[in-house]
Structure formats: structure tokens, C-alpha cells
Amino acid sequence: MEWWKERVVYQIYPRSFVDTNGDGIGDIKGIIEKLDYLHDLGIGILWLSPVYASPNKDNGYDISDYYSIHKEFGTMEDMDLLIKEAGIRDIKIIMDLVINHTSTEHEWFIKSRDKNSPYRDYYIWRKGKSNGKLPNNWTSFFAEDCWEYDEASDEYYLHLFAKEQADLNFDNPAVIKEIKDIMTFWLEKGIAGFRCDVINVIYKSSLEDGKKKLALTGSEYYISKEGTHNILRQLRKDVLSKYDCFTVGETVFVTPSMGKDLCDKAREELDMIFSFEHMEIDQYFVKWFPRKFSSKRFAETIAKWQNALEWNALYFENHDQPRSISRMIKDSKYRQEAGKMLATLLLSLKGTPFIYQGQEIGMTNFDYTSLDEIMDVESKNVYALAKKLHLPEWYIEKMIRKASRDNARTPMQWEDSLYGGFSISKPWLKENQNYGLINVKSQQKDKESILNYYKEMIKVRRETLPLLEGDFKVISIDKNLFVFERVTKQEVNRIYINFSNKEHNIMTVDGEVIIGNYRNNGERILGKQTLALKAYEGLIIKRFKTMDK
Ligand code: ISL
Ligand code: CA
């Protein structure tokens, strides 16, 4: 089995992880300081959200130099030391590869403003329509149109995200060559692969007007086009295949069949993908139209993707999503049990699990008191748009509280001291006030904590073959219960997940408890019997050989 299938990944959002020099911004030295913590947790791979030079219009997802480290995060020496120190602890590092766009402060873009520069064609420049309108009717991911006017040449450039993030032109072989060089540079430094940002939208097959939609008008011309597949195969063949590394693609609006085309082994494109369908359970079409979270739909969606792909990238949280406990758990009284239940589920599915910083202690959504405390560019654009549409203030506030990306970006809560131990100064984004209740230090001391459960569950996953490589099989999905199995020729593990704050009776199988948030490991359950699953219980039972089907 490939090493990237066996290991558990931990995503670091460097800005909010640990600040060592007191400027209120997390840094690379801070990550080095916590390597022992991560090793102890059982982490085998780190994914760093972008640490490259960037004017930070989108917190590093707007890169101005792929070959240097953001000053606020430290130096290239710090980065080299991080790779080395992680290696000593057998932790591999993957970088965020953001290539759909660069910052408009990238040297390429600055030069490309000149019509006669060879860099002009690195980006997508177009004349406006003859009636004075934009080159097309596309809308961006961040609640704006997709074109920005440049007076000097009387043309517009395309940006699918913020206007300071200009889309690269992947019809230009020189751009692909640049990307290969960037990848090689980092792989030579010893990193172990890439998380490829919005990778399934990089190639635009046409710039015609799109069919008008509630969001992302024009997306039929760039979601998972053949051009993207070609580029992925090239990057694989010419660069990635020469290293012991892997890729995980962030792929927006993919269906299972598109997903298969992007990461099926035989196609030699990506190794796995982050799909989004299970993150859309509590929304209508776009996240700004919330609906009730349904654990049944959640389980069905997970099962659908488990069955569709050979190997999934498993995640319930990242730097763009609300915190899973705030989002999926109705009864906050059970925060601890529910946090462990979610850990049981995440780490027993088939695929490579990704844990986002703070998830392992059950951090919750941002508890800001005023919209002025929100920093994210997406939230700000949505606010402006909602205002323009005359939506009432209370409704805008409600939308942002529920879906803002800042929910997951508040500083990591290390201990019960000022600013949660993240920094000695006021953090760049306000800390969640519940750091006294939820922090690493107190959970390390508490045997029953979510943190210690994650640690144990990671160990169990590593040591239990069916959880690593077994087939996935649904047993039942109903309103609150998700029951499935992981099956190898030698062993069957059955997983029970209770998504409600009530007890539920189930018929068990004959077996032994591997792990659970209420029961002792090794406890035996003999003979088929009724068992009352407790509120938010997660339980894995190893079935005995004398199996009653
Ligand atoms: O969170 C989202 C909007 O509600 C997503 O659509 C998100 O923008 C999308 O998943 C792309 O995300 C990635 O690329 C963006 C960056 O802002 C995100 O942080 C990154 O994860 C542009 O680079
Ligand atoms: Ca700092």
C-alpha cells in the first residue's frame, strides 16, 4: 500500500497556527515548535496552506512569487528547517499548489499589463463587447463578475476568484513550463507532493457567454474540461512521476463520474480528490442559502462517493468550511461525544483522512460580536452584494455567521491563557472566546478528551487492516444511524454511527469492540443482541469469524 494511503494528513493554516515572534500572525517557526505535538498525535503528512510570498488579498491564495516564502511567515531557511525537522519525525510535507491564478502583483502579471510583452499571453486578456459590456457574462466564485478593466490597453483580464487573482492562460505552453519548474523546485527541496487548488477549473474551453445561473454563470466552460485532463497528465508524466510523491486535487462541482476521470489510477492524473457534495448538505445550491443539516443525506452522500471512487480524500473540515461540530451537531451539550463520533467516522472510511487544525480538539465556529471582525474577502464581497440587493441586515448577518470561511480560521487554541496561547499579541483574526473551555493543554491532561480520542483512533486505524484497505459496504442508513462495514478476506469491521442526541436500539453482530466513544476496547459482545447506542455514539466492532450474516 502506498505510504500516502496509510498515513493521516493534518492541514495547517499557517496564519492561525502558532505565532512565535509576537506579531499576531502564525509563522513557520511556530509549525516547527509543534512538530512533536503532531507526531504524538500520529500525523504522517502535513498539508500547508500557502506559505509563498503574497499580498494576502485571499490569505496566500494570491501568490506573487512561488519561489519565496511570505515574509510574515519567515524565510526560506525556516522552510528548509521545517522540512528537515519534519523528516526527522517521519512527517512528510505537501504544499498548496495554486495555479489557476496568480496575484496581480506577480511579476508575470505586472509585465503582462504591457500588450507587447511576452507575458501578455500568460493571462486571459480580452476586449469588451462592442456594446461596451464585459467580454462575457461569467460570475466569479466570490460574488462579483469575472473581469477587471485595465485602462492602459483598454482590455479586461479574467479572474474566477477575487479581482487580485488573475487567471493564468493554460493554452500557453510557456505557462505550463513555468508550473513544471515550480513543482520541480519544491519537490527537489524534499516536499512530498501537492494539494492542488481548484485544479479542475484551470482550463477554459471557451469564453462565450454562459447559461445564466444563480451562481457561477459560465462554469460549463471550465469545470473538468478535457484541456485540464491533458495538463494533469503532462504534469504527472514530466514531473510528478519522477518523485516519490502524491497529489490531492481540490475539485469544485465534481460529480462522481468527473471525479473518477480525475483520479482513477489508470488515467495517471491526480492521486485523489477533495469532492464537495458532502459539504453541501446544509445548503441550497450555494452556501449562502442555508438549509437544515441532515445526517441521513450526509451518510448517503458519503456512501455514494465511497462506492464511486477507488480511493477518497476524506475530510469534514478545512480552511474554507465551517467547523463540523457547529455545523452537524444539534445538541451542543454533547460536544465532546459528538467530536469523538465524528473522529470515528472520518477515520474509519476508505481513503486518506485529512484533519484540519483544531478539529482534533473540537473547535467551534467563530463567535464574533461584530461583522467588522470578519476578515475574509469572500465574506466581504458577499456582504457588499447582499447590501446591493437590499437584503435585511439581520439576514446577511445570519448568512455570514453560518457560512463565513473565517469560522475555521480563528487562531488555534493551545491553552487557557490570553489569546488562547496562539500569540502574545492581538491575533490578526480575533480568537474564539471559548479557548478556556476548548484548548490543547487541558485536553492533553484529560483522558476522556476529543484530542486523546483522535490519537487513539489514528493508532487504531493504522493497526487495523480492514480500516486501511478493506472494501466499504453500507449496512444501513436511516434518519440518525449510519452503519457500514470495512471488509477484507480475513476480517470484517462494523462501524455504528449515531448522529442524534437520543439512544437507539440496534441489533449487534457477534464480536469485540475495537474502539468507541462510550465503550471499552476489547469489550465482547457475544451473540446477536440488542444494544442501545447512546447519544452520538461511534463504535467499531470486529466481527468474530463465526459470522452470522
Ligand atoms: O469556500 C468556497 C466558496 O464558498 C469555495 O468555493 C472555495 O472558494 C473553493 O473551494 C476554492 O477554494 C480554494 O481556492 C480559492 C481560495 O480562496 C480557497 O481558500 C481555496 O481553498 C482561490 O484560490
Ligand atoms: Ca509571527
Side-chain angles (χ1 to χ4, degrees):
M1 195 178 210
E2 294 95 330
W3 55 264
W4 44 267
K5 291 187 169 174
E6 276 169 9
R7 294 173 180 232
V8 172
V9 190
Y10 187 92
Q11 181 193 351
I12 291 185
Y13 196 66
R15 229 180 152 65
S16 300
F17 194 54
V18 184
D19 170 26
T20 57
N21 64 347
D23 62 356
I25 298 170
D27 41 56
I28 293 176
K29 286 206 172 87
I31 304 175
I32 299 176
E33 249 178 34
K34 296 297 177 184
L35 285 172
D36 286 331
Y37 166 75
L38 296 165
H39 178 70
D40 184 57
L41 183 59
I43 299 304
I45 302 170
L46 295 181
W47 151 27
L48 304 187
S49 273
V51 291
Y52 315 92
S54 160
N56 265 342
K57 292 296 185 241
D58 187 19
N59 283 0
Y61 283 88
D62 48 324
I63 298 172
S64 54
D65 182 0
Y66 293 84
Y67 296 97
S68 71
I69 297 294
H70 199 302
K71 279 201 192 69
E72 288 169 342
F73 292 160
T75 61
M76 192 58 93
E77 286 70 48
D78 295 339
M79 187 64 206
D80 290 335
L81 185 63
L82 171 61
I83 298 171
K84 187 171 150 223
E85 287 293 325
I88 291 171
R89 292 161 180 84
D90 191 27
I91 295 177
K92 313 219 183 211
I93 295 183
I94 65 169
M95 301 277 280
D96 217 306
L97 186 73
V98 188
I99 58 173
N100 176 67
H101 42 265
T102 73
S103 161
T104 47
E105 290 182 28
H106 194 292
E107 190 194 351
W108 303 336
F109 188 81
I110 294 170
K111 290 183 175 156
S112 101
R113 287 188 187 272
D114 173 1
K115 251 185 147 165
N116 302 314
S117 159
Y119 287 95
R120 183 69 172 183
D121 208 25
Y122 270 42
Y123 296 87
I124 304 174
W125 289 97
R126 287 294 180 280
K127 281 248 170 289
K129 285 184 181 157
S130 50
N131 55 7
K133 286 205 178 141
L134 301 175
N136 68 26
N137 68 349
W138 295 10
T139 53
S140 90
F141 280 72
F142 290 162
E144 300 171 299
D145 61 57
C146 280
W147 297 96
E148 191 66 12
Y149 183 63
D150 194 56
E151 223 168 298
S153 62
D154 185 30
E155 286 190 357
Y156 297 80
Y157 64 85
L158 178 75
H159 64 91
L160 290 189
F161 292 86
K163 62 178 186 304
E164 297 87 355
Q165 293 165 302
D167 281 45
L168 283 165
N169 171 20
F170 279 91
D171 268 320
N172 182 352
V175 167
I176 300 177
K177 167 80 172 59
E178 297 273 12
I179 303 298
K180 287 182 189 168
D181 290 348
I182 292 165
M183 292 169 79
T184 305
F185 172 83
W186 286 101
L187 289 164
E188 284 294 321
K189 273 198 177 288
I191 66 142
F194 299 99
R195 175 265 188 190
C196 311
D197 191 61
V198 289
I199 198 69
N200 66 323
V201 310
I202 58 175
Y203 189 82
K204 284 83 188 170
S205 61
S206 147
L207 293 174
E208 298 164 54
D209 277 348
K211 212 171 87 209
K212 269 234 180 287
K213 283 191 290 220
L214 205 52
L216 293 189
T217 295
S219 55
E220 61 271 37
Y221 296 115
Y222 59 76
I223 303 274
S224 293
K225 293 289 146 193
E226 199 42 46
T228 292
H229 290 294
N230 288 333
I231 294 161
L232 288 175
R233 281 193 290 268
Q234 262 192 66
L235 298 180
R236 174 76 161 239
K237 182 165 157 281
D238 297 344
V239 182
L240 296 160
S241 65
K242 306 200 163 99
Y243 297 87
D244 182 19
C245 67
F246 80 102
T247 52
V248 49
E250 187 208 26
T251 53
V252 289
F253 297 96
V254 283
T255 60
S257 92
M258 285 176 181
K260 260 177 102 60
D261 285 350
L262 287 157
C263 69
D264 246 17
K265 215 171 171 176
R267 294 175 55 96
E268 310 218 303
E269 296 184 21
L270 298 161
D271 291 307
M272 54 181 134
I273 60 163
F274 290 123
S275 62
F276 280 83
E277 209 180 330
H278 70 297
M279 292 281 99
E280 290 158 2
I281 302 301
D282 54 358
Q283 50 192 250
Y284 290 106
F285 195 54
V286 286
K287 67 182 191 182
W288 306 106
F289 302 114
R291 66 168 160 171
K292 228 171 108 197
F293 176 81
S294 145
S295 55
K296 180 161 187 267
R297 260 187 289 127
F298 186 62
E300 283 165 351
T301 307
I302 288 176
K304 172 169 135 189
W305 283 86
Q306 287 279 298
N307 289 324
L309 301 187
E310 283 166 47
W311 195 259
N312 277 273
L314 309 165
Y315 75 101
F316 295 162
E317 290 187 19
N318 64 34
H319 64 293
D320 294 332
Q321 300 290 335
R323 291 289 185 178
S324 54
I325 287 187
S326 305
R327 180 175 200 181
M328 303 176 188
I329 305 305
K330 283 187 294 272
D331 193 340
S332 55
K333 214 170 62 226
Y334 290 100
R335 197 186 58 82
Q336 176 154 313
E337 290 75 11
K340 298 184 199 176
M341 174 277 280
L342 289 171
T344 316
L345 176 59
L346 180 73
L347 289 146
S348 62
L349 291 166
K350 186 177 183 188
T352 300
F354 288 70
I355 298 169
Y356 175 66
Q357 67 184 45
Q359 184 178 348
E360 78 277 24
I361 53 170
M363 277 177 65
T364 56
N365 276 355
F366 195 6
D367 58 348
Y368 63 89
T369 48
S370 145
L371 276 178
D372 299 337
E373 288 160 4
I374 292 283
M375 307 292 275
D376 181 30
V377 56
E378 182 192 55
S379 299
K380 286 182 178 161
N381 287 356
V382 163
Y383 183 83
L385 179 66
K387 272 292 200 203
K388 225 162 77 188
L389 298 172
H390 301 294
L391 296 184
E393 187 76 19
W394 66 266
Y395 185 77
I396 309 179
E397 157 91 46
K398 189 175 153 198
M399 272 176 5
I400 292 185
R401 191 168 291 284
K402 194 144 188 175
S404 172
R405 306 193 298 180
D406 279 350
N407 276 319
R409 298 178 180 183
T410 58
M412 179 70 185
Q413 294 167 202
W414 294 103
E415 49 184 64
D416 181 12
S417 59
L418 189 61
Y419 308 128
F422 161 75
S423 171
I424 53 162
S425 316
K426 191 166 174 261
W428 70 276
L429 176 68
K430 192 173 160 195
E431 74 287 356
N432 193 311
Q433 297 310 300
N434 65 15
Y435 64 78
L437 179 70
I438 304 174
N439 66 70
V440 170
K441 197 164 170 192
S442 66
Q443 293 200 21
Q444 279 172 327
K445 288 188 228 145
D446 173 8
K447 266 182 32 210
E448 300 300 317
S449 66
I450 301 179
L451 177 63
N452 278 316
Y453 190 84
Y454 262 96
K455 193 169 151 181
E456 193 187 340
M457 186 62 216
I458 290 171
K459 183 160 172 276
V460 163
R461 178 185 181 273
R462 187 167 56 234
E463 292 168 354
T464 311
L465 217 54
L467 295 186
L468 284 175
E469 57 176 38
D471 290 335
F472 169 88
K473 185 176 154 206
V474 176
I475 301 300
S476 66
I477 295 176
D478 51 49
K479 188 154 176 272
N480 295 303
L481 293 187
F482 183 15
V483 185
F484 61 94
E485 285 184 339
R486 298 293 310 279
V487 184
T488 60
K489 282 209 181 81
Q490 293 77 23
E491 192 180 317
V492 178
N493 293 162
R494 184 172 283 203
I495 296 100
Y496 297 93
I497 300 292
N498 180 5
F499 251 103
S500 84
N501 57 359
K502 306 219 167 41
E503 274 194 13
H504 285 280
N505 286 334
I506 50 155
M507 282 301 279
T508 61
V509 285
D510 211 7
E512 182 184 308
V513 173
I514 296 188
I515 186 173
N517 56 354
Y518 283 95
R519 289 164 218 275
N520 296 326
N521 303 1
E523 192 179 303
R524 293 194 158 201
I525 295 170
L526 291 177
K528 253 181 156 174
Q529 52 173 293
T530 324
L531 194 81
L533 274 191
K534 299 199 176 353
Y536 299 103
E537 179 158 358
L539 174 65
I540 307 184
I541 295 180
K542 172 178 163 177
R543 286 174 65 167
F544 288 150
K545 280 259 168 73
T546 52
M547 283 182 297
D548 37 16
K549 280 268 163 174

